[in-house]
Amino acid sequence: MAHPVILSIDDDPAVSRAVARDFRRRYGDRYRVVRAGSGPEALDTLREIKLRGEQVAVLVADYRMPEMNGIEFLEAAMDLFPAARRVLLTAYADTGAAIDAINLVDLDHYLLKPWHPPEEKLYPVVDALLEAWTASPEAATTEIRVVGHRWSAPSFAVRDFLARNLVPYRWLLADEPEGGRLLAAAGVSAADVPLVVTADGKALVAPSETELAGLVGLNVVPAADFYDLVVVGGGPAGLGAAVYGASEGLRTVLVERRATGGQAGQSSRIENYLGFPDGVSGAQLTDRARRQALKFGAELLSTREVVGLAEAGSARLLRFDDGSTIAAHAVVLATGVSYRMLDAPGLAELTGRGVFYGSAATEAPSCVDQDVYIVGGANSAGQAAVYFSRYAARVHVLIRGADLTASMSSYLIDQLDRIDRITVHPHTEVVAGAGEEHLQRLTLRDTRTGERRDVDASWLFVFIGAEPRTEWLEGVVVRDERGYVVTGPDLVAGGSRPPGWSLPRDPYHLESSLPGVFAAGDVRAASVKRVASAVGEGAMAVSLVHRYLEAQ
């Protein structure tokens, strides 16, 4: 297997040679060092590397270059190698441009010229970037191939799991020649899909999510039985709690049922998050937070579902769905919410075969020149509409109300108004779906007149409301009538603390009715449903965990 590539780009031949020399001296035994004299030349080189199936670990581009400056090059390179770490070489006068690039191209670092001595100013930075790149799923697996049917729900489930966990893969149809060859080599038929084939030739037929997680290098087994802090849920609140818990010295483990990022991780573009004026994708934000948590020593467990919580003296005991347990001094519940199922005849049978909950970005390229229907009027639906408008012939946003102003941010409403391919249909609901192999028709109803009409449709994406996944907490902590975890002052009614409360103080602000168990983010009753507030609550929960532990 070819060594991964470190690519440097500089139009000054002397600087280009010096950069390549320093890289070869330190990394030449493990990486192939390639240099280019311009942005266009470097892009041609990247395209050749991509066609050969090789990988790029680090891109180092000089800012001031003719034809294409370093920022423009790195932005274009992201389309070819999104997981490659990106570095900008700048003079002192250009540091402002470098700081802007942090938002524009998700820049990992910028280096001031000259960088000598490299042992102090170059190698420590590149060492850290290579370590982060090596730990990513893309570095662990050069190519995963998934063989399946276009309208197979299990095939979609595999692709969706890999995409949400930022694992690159190649999708092959079972009735295509290469897909058929892989099926034959694995000794299975088209009826057995999905088939997952690793880069080293290992074949798995219809693998579970846990098997997939192990296959791509995600942790599924805890390293210990006892922790200072267990965080349940890997959305923005859970990742925030994991980062702050681990960075402040708590032995922290984050347990995620499916993929880190939660609903925010599926967003194609988050434009109102502080510090990212040009927006950031949910995947990028999730990847940065995950890397940050790992950097501070947090342990991340994937595909592990917590089904029970109990008090065990001063410890809190969590039970997994396989019967195993872990314990901790404190727990942060950050399980978020799930989209509600659309209750209309015919849709349940077509889930994963034209009916999807959430953005399902893996399906976007298949929607080219077709009509896409989106149900929902909140920000997640608006972001999905903008994203799918890049592919679809027309995007239809169906809402029950008169307009979007009650549930969607004004900046998103303005974006939708500016995109000709997007049409908002007020007072409209889906009352039925039909199709044989996949979704083919929707029945829409006008909520004012009751009039119904059928439309041809192969793509329906649902973003209606949300429900907390807290059934497993029944009888353990106080929840409101909708299942959200009640915390802090809301637990104190008429001056009385919640039943069973054992401490001589009122519950802390984010603390549940079980001391030492805190709730953060969307799962908490009366929380603000925004990414920034979820991250803030995750951090705040850790500060309250410290206060709780100090009093024990």
Side-chain angles (χ1 to χ4, degrees):
M1 187 179 297
H3 288 320
V5 171
I6 296 175
L7 177 62
S8 66
I9 307 96
D10 200 300
D11 64 313
D12 185 330
V15 174
S16 179
R17 285 193 296 270
V19 173
R21 180 198 63 224
D22 286 342
F23 280 149
R24 289 193 181 101
R25 181 182 303 161
R26 178 86 164 198
Y27 309 109
D29 61 330
R30 293 163 289 152
Y31 296 87
R32 185 161 69 91
V33 178
V34 179
R35 61 189 180 98
S38 69
E41 178 187 342
L43 286 177
D44 288 340
T45 300
L46 287 180
R47 293 186 186 102
E48 292 178 8
I49 293 171
K50 188 73 173 179
L51 289 174
R52 290 197 298 266
E54 298 177 18
Q55 299 176 71
V56 175
V58 174
L59 299 165
V60 182
D62 185 58
Y63 172 61
R64 289 182 178 270
M65 294 189 296
E67 297 182 79
M68 176 184 289
N69 67 35
I71 296 176
E72 292 168 338
F73 164 75
L74 291 174
E75 187 173 18
M78 287 173 65
D79 294 332
L80 292 169
F81 292 96
R85 304 308 175 190
R86 294 172 281 275
V87 180
L88 194 68
L89 281 178
T90 69
Y92 183 81
D94 297 323
T95 54
I99 292 172
D100 290 340
I102 292 174
N103 290 320
L104 185 62
V105 298
D106 201 22
L107 190 69
D108 291 291
H109 210 284
Y110 67 89
L111 290 170
L112 293 176
K113 296 187 292 186
W115 60 87
H116 294 291
E119 289 77 8
E120 294 179 13
K121 298 184 178 179
L122 177 65
Y123 296 151
V125 171
V126 178
D127 285 346
L129 295 178
L130 289 173
E131 182 181 353
W133 180 83
T134 303
S136 69
E138 180 168 315
T141 307
T142 55
E143 183 182 62
I144 288 179
R145 288 157 290 176
V146 179
V147 183
H149 296 304
R150 176 68 198 85
W151 297 110
S152 160
S155 298
F156 164 73
V158 167
R159 292 185 292 126
D160 189 51
F161 177 83
L162 294 174
R164 291 194 188 197
N165 283 284
L166 310 179
V167 178
Y169 66 91
R170 185 180 177 193
W171 167 238
L172 300 165
L173 292 174
D175 55 3
E176 291 179 341
E178 188 171 356
R181 285 192 291 269
L182 285 173
L183 290 172
V188 296
S189 70
D192 300 314
V193 297
L195 171 71
V196 178
V197 183
T198 67
D200 59 2
K202 182 179 180 181
L204 289 83
V205 179
S208 67
E209 289 187 348
T210 300
E211 290 174 323
L212 277 176
L215 184 72
V216 300
L218 301 173
N219 289 332
V220 296
V221 179
D225 296 325
F226 195 90
Y227 295 84
D228 294 320
L229 174 64
V230 174
V231 180
V232 186
L239 286 167
V243 167
Y244 281 92
S247 68
E248 293 173 10
L250 297 177
R251 185 169 188 186
T252 302
V253 60
L254 182 149
V255 181
E256 168 53 41
R257 186 174 65 95
R258 192 146 192 243
T260 52
Q263 288 187 10
Q266 301 178 55
S267 175
S268 58
R269 203 80 181 160
I270 302 170
E271 297 193 64
N272 59 351
Y273 188 70
L274 184 66
F276 291 88
D278 297 303
V280 61
S281 73
Q284 288 174 328
L285 192 63
T286 296
D287 181 53
R288 285 184 166 214
R290 183 186 60 82
R291 286 161 43 199
Q292 199 171 15
L294 292 171
K295 166 190 170 183
F296 287 121
E299 186 180 334
L300 271 58
L301 295 183
S302 298
T303 66
R304 299 306 301 269
E305 184 170 7
V306 179
V307 297
L309 170 65
E311 188 174 6
S314 62
R316 300 294 174 260
L317 190 69
L318 291 158
R319 188 177 77 257
F320 294 122
D321 57 353
D322 64 357
S324 62
T325 61
I326 56 173
H329 290 301
V331 175
V332 172
L333 302 172
T335 50
V337 292
S338 298
Y339 290 116
R340 288 204 303 268
M341 302 292 284
L342 186 57
D343 187 15
L347 296 186
E349 299 87 343
L350 296 168
T351 300
R353 298 189 291 130
V355 178
F356 306 94
Y357 290 85
S359 61
T362 55
E363 304 306 292
S366 300
C367 299
V368 172
D369 297 331
Q370 300 182 50
D371 280 14
V372 167
Y373 287 80
I374 292 175
V375 179
N379 280 8
S380 54
Q383 290 160 351
V386 173
Y387 178 68
F388 281 106
S389 70
R390 304 174 192 169
Y391 301 88
R394 180 155 295 279
V395 177
H396 303 270
V397 180
L398 313 179
I399 59 174
R400 298 179 61 128
D403 56 45
L404 296 166
T405 55
S407 55
M408 189 177 292
S409 296
S410 60
Y411 82 89
L412 262 177
I413 296 175
D414 293 339
Q415 279 191 39
L416 267 58
D417 287 341
R418 292 194 298 266
I419 300 175
D420 292 337
R421 292 186 179 189
I422 298 177
T423 302
V424 178
H425 300 268
H427 306 293
T428 304
E429 63 180 357
V430 176
V431 293
E436 296 178 4
E437 186 181 40
H438 62 92
L439 177 68
Q440 294 173 302
R441 292 177 305 283
L442 289 173
T443 301
L444 309 182
R445 175 180 175 273
D446 188 311
T447 59
R448 296 163 300 180
T449 65
E451 179 185 355
R452 298 186 177 210
R453 61 188 177 96
D454 290 337
V455 295
D456 293 332
S458 296
W459 305 98
L460 177 68
F461 299 90
V462 182
F463 302 82
I464 54 168
E467 296 175 331
R469 300 190 304 268
T470 59
E471 297 83 3
W472 59 283
L473 294 170
E474 176 68 33
V476 181
V477 300
V478 173
R479 302 177 300 152
D480 67 12
E481 66 280 359
R482 294 183 297 168
Y484 292 93
V485 178
V486 181
T487 60
D490 292 335
L491 289 167
V492 180
S496 298
R497 295 167 183 152
W501 185 260
S502 58
L503 300 180
R505 61 165 176 82
D506 290 347
Y508 294 139
H509 180 61
L510 300 180
E511 195 169 19
S512 74
S513 59
L514 179 59
V517 175
F518 300 82
D522 290 358
V523 75
R524 190 178 68 84
S527 65
V528 178
K529 305 300 189 281
R530 288 290 184 270
V531 174
S533 62
V535 173
E537 286 195 4
M540 185 190 304
V542 170
S543 70
L544 296 173
V545 166
H546 280 293
R547 190 187 302 179
Y548 168 78
L549 294 177
E550 289 166 0
Q552 295 302 298

